[in-house]
Structure formats: C-alpha cells, structure tokens
Amino acid sequence: MDREGDISKLKREIERLKTAVRKQRYGLVWMDVPEAFEDEVENKIPVLKEVPNLAIKNDDDKPTHILIEGDNYHALTCLNYTHKGKIDVIYIDPPYNTGSDGFRYKDKRTADKFPDGTEVPKDHPFRHSYWLSFMKKRLELARDLLADTGVIFISIDDNEASQLKLLCNDIFKEENLLEVFYIQVRYADKSLNEKDDFQKLVEQVFVYTKNKKTFRPNKPSSDYDIEKFRYRIVERSKGKELKLGNKKVKIFYPEEYEIIEEDKGDTSLLKATWASGSVLKGNTSGKFFKNYLEPRKKEDKLGVLYKVYGIGKDGLGHRYFTGPKRENATKGLFYSGVPLDRRKDIEEGRGSIKYRPIVNFYDYSADFGNIRHEGGVDFRSGKKPTKMLKNLINLHSNKRARVLDFFAGSGSTGQAVIDLNEDDEGRRQFLLITNNEGGIMKEICYPRMKNIMEGKGGCSNLGNSLKYYKTDFIGKNNILEATDSDKVELAHNAGDLLAIAENTLERIKQNKYYQLFEDANGGRYTAIYFREELDKFEDFLEMIEKLKKKTTVYIFSWGDEEFSEDFNHIKDIRIKTIPQPILEIYKNIYNIGGYNV
C-alpha cells in the first residue's frame, strides 16, 4: 500500500473541498465521486452506429425518430456534437435513489461497482454523493443541448428532491426555475403497506428553462366569453362630484341610478366583479376601491354608486363601483366593459382568446393505476403515463419540437410524442436513450415503439419511422491524447453521427471513400468524404454535382482547410470538416471534468 500517496490524495481532496465551500457561499456541496466505466470504453472516443436491421420504416410522411442504446453519459456526449443548442424539450425520469429502484454507481476510487442487481443501499455513507455525482455530469450535458427557448422536466420524489433542486439551481440557474409540479400518483385509499405510518401520494416534476426571458409556455386557453357582460347602468341624476386619489368621482345615491341586467351578453354591456381577495392587490380597480371607496362607508351610507373617471382599458373613460349594501358588509362590485383590443377582434369576427395560468397540481392517480399495459408491454417499475407526458411536452408551443429523454426506460416519452402529434398534427421528433440493463431496450422500449408504429400488441397503428443506434468507441488513446491514427479512425466512423446532426437519416450510398445520406423526404443530403487520401475526390465531387438539392458536405481535413473553392460552382452547398470539430467538443467535455482521469 502507498500510505503516503493516499494521505497526500486525501489532503488535496480536503483542500479542494475547502476551496469549493469558500467559493460557494450558498448552495450544494458534496463529495464528488468519480464515476468508473468499463475499462474498454474509459475515456475512449464515443460515436453512434446504426443497427440497420432494427430500423422501422413507414412511407407515411411522418417523422423519423431516434432510439439510442447505451450509457446515457456517452450518448449525451455524442449529442453535444450533433444537437448542441437544438433540443426543445427534455423529459427525464431518473432513478429516485430509494435503495430499491435499481440505481447503481461505479465508484472509480474504490472499484465499488455495484454489480447487476445490487442497488446503492439506502444507508450507504456516499448514497447522496453517488447520486449527485451521477446526475451532475448528465444534467450539465443536457443543459448544453437545450435551445434558448428549451425546457427540461425532471420527475423526482422526496428521496432526492431537495438535493436535486439545489443542483439544478446551480446548473440551470435559480432564476430559470419555472415551477414545481406536484403529481398525485396513487389513490389516497390505496395503501401500499398497512405497517407504514405515512402514505406517499405525490411526486414532483421540476421545470427549468434554458432562458426564462425567451421561453413562452403554451398556456391553456379558451374563447373570450362575453356572456358575463350583461349589465347596463342608468344615471337618473347628475350625482355629487368630488375628488378621490386625484381622480374625479361622482356619487349616486340609491334613488339616483339603476343597474339593469340583460338576458344575453354583449360587447356594449358591462361585467360585474367583486372587489375582494386578490383583486384588491393586483387590479387597478380593486386597489382604488380598497384605498378610497371602502373607507367611505360611514360617510356615504349604504347602496351608493361611484363613477370614477380615468380608470379602465375598455375605452369608456370611467368605471362604476357599488359600495356595500348591508351594515355588516365592507365590499362592493365594480363594472367594466370588454377591453378595447378584444372588442375589436370580436366585432370584426376574428374572435378573441383568453389565456389561463398553468396549474401546478395534477391528479394522475387513475392513469398510474391503469398504466401496466400501455404501449402493449408489461412494465411496472417507474413507468409514467403518456397522458402526463403529453401534458408536459405540450407546454412547449413548438409542434416541430425535438424531444429528448435520456432515461427512456419503457419508452413512454416516445409514445407521448407520437400520440401528441396525432392529436394536433404536429411533427415533433423524439430521441430516446437507454441502456439495455435487464433487457429494457431490446425487450421493452424497442418493442413498444414497434407496437405503436405497426399496430401490434393491441395498439393502434400510428405509423412514423424509427432509426436504432448504439454507442460505440474508437481509438486506442483517451480523448486528450488522440493521435493522427485515432483521428483517421474517427473520421471513418463518424457517418451516422453526422447524419444525425443533419437529420438526414437515410443512408443511400457508401463505399471506402465516402457516404451519402438523405432526409426521409429526399429534400436534403449529407455527403461525407472521410478518407485522408484525395484520390477519389473527383468521383465524390461529381456525385455532389448531380444531387441538385441542398447538401451539407463533410470533408476530412487535418486542419481548418474546407476545400470550399472546389464547390463554388454548386448551389445550396455547406462545407464542414471532420474530425477535429468533433474532437474539440469532446475535449471540452473532458476538460471540465466529465471524463475520468
């Protein structure tokens, strides 16, 4: 044993933690535990490789989706090249770290591997540190994938909720926390264990955006209802004039006015609103009533009408208020017209939409109770109902959103995307990532997608297409020490990665020198010349000239040379180089601590 070396490492770790505490006055500090991967992939260069025989193809002009089998950390590393800043919605349902949910962590320092079937025990001294170390790296990669208008939803329960919130506040910034949703997941009268003193009914979903200033949620809405605008006020005298709060006010006593309610609403009539509760604080009319009219009860007596000038956005120039009508009452009503902008839309036949706030509590207990066979697969451990996921995904207004789930499990997010597209004719595309531990990808997730797309397992045939990829690793050295040989190997194996980056997923030509991919509709191409030798470049150029459509061309280059002059005579061409741009992104991830050294 190297006792002195171990002591030296411990001292350095103590100093690191002291520095971290000094820098971070408020937040989350834990023992960051390096994660060990299998020796053959540790720090190697990750790529994505298609498994062609698992592709699902339907000629229905619906989106082609992506399944990725592999450790989500390596897959997210690849997506940081293909989809950086391009993902609109992320939903994840990570392990809750309950001690019995299958969460395992490979501790690089102690080689504590937690073999298959062995979870991190609930009483393990590094239980929370393992989980936070595991989540931090993945959430940092996920943050960089989000578009500026993107949003991430994270399901969790109280085992790690408080830690996760602080972690996300640090990664996504506290000001970008949009809301915490509370989800009822089981019936109150359905006890899991009668010996328990407390029964958990609710889980949480944290909602963070990349940038709160640019994200606009898809709020629930309805047509603006004018049926409540039924009142007409008749003045039978000139009233008594005075000034309150720098505003002209007329007072009418009970015999000097009449309020008439019509049988039907109309844009020319008024709506009655109680001046009470939150209206007194957040509404101009409510504030005026509280500050100036409510105190006048003793002076003006009961049942009076106030006409206050200079209030309202209905174009009338005034607003009517009634004082209390009973001795023990203090509140009254105010009468307002249809706002001018809405009145114009309604009267010109365009209609008008009224938006409602998004609530933060949802009762999905019935949906969780009937979830077992959703998608035609029998999976009970942590499965989330598609109804809930459709609601979350639909909070982003883009019907062409890219939706990522890197804890995909049984594939509920994939089904939710397809169902939602079916509901609103959207063209959202999902990217699902999961490993194959316990056969979760090959025996559950993939068959579920096949059931939905081909109408099997009792599912409706909803069409769509799918490409299946696996993470793979190339090179003999770690990322920072990549040699020329490693770079050449990366260029030779980057085709599927580049096709995913351009969303041109159909491989239509391949030889020893170049590859050609197209999108599902044949409208765009991605062409890749991946050999360092240029002896077949003329053949490649001739192929490009014949395409006559938008094409992104990737060319092997040892440096920044882009060969753009060779393509000046061809329209709709973008030139990019490989493999260095891929390595630069991977190196950046490596340098900030994502990989292990």
Side-chain angles (χ1 to χ4, degrees), residues 14 33 79 135 148 166 427 494 500 528 554:
I14 291 171
V33 184
L79 292 187
M135 290 297 296
D148 283 343
L166 288 174
R427 294 191 60 83
I500 291 171
I528 306 159
Y554 287 86

Side-chain angles (χ1 to χ4, degrees), residues 275-295:
S276 62
S278 60
V279 171
L280 300 176
K281 297 180 180 179
N283 181 287
T284 302
S285 297
K287 289 178 181 178
F288 190 88
F289 182 89
K290 179 179 175 62
N291 294 333
Y292 300 105
L293 303 182
E294 187 175 325

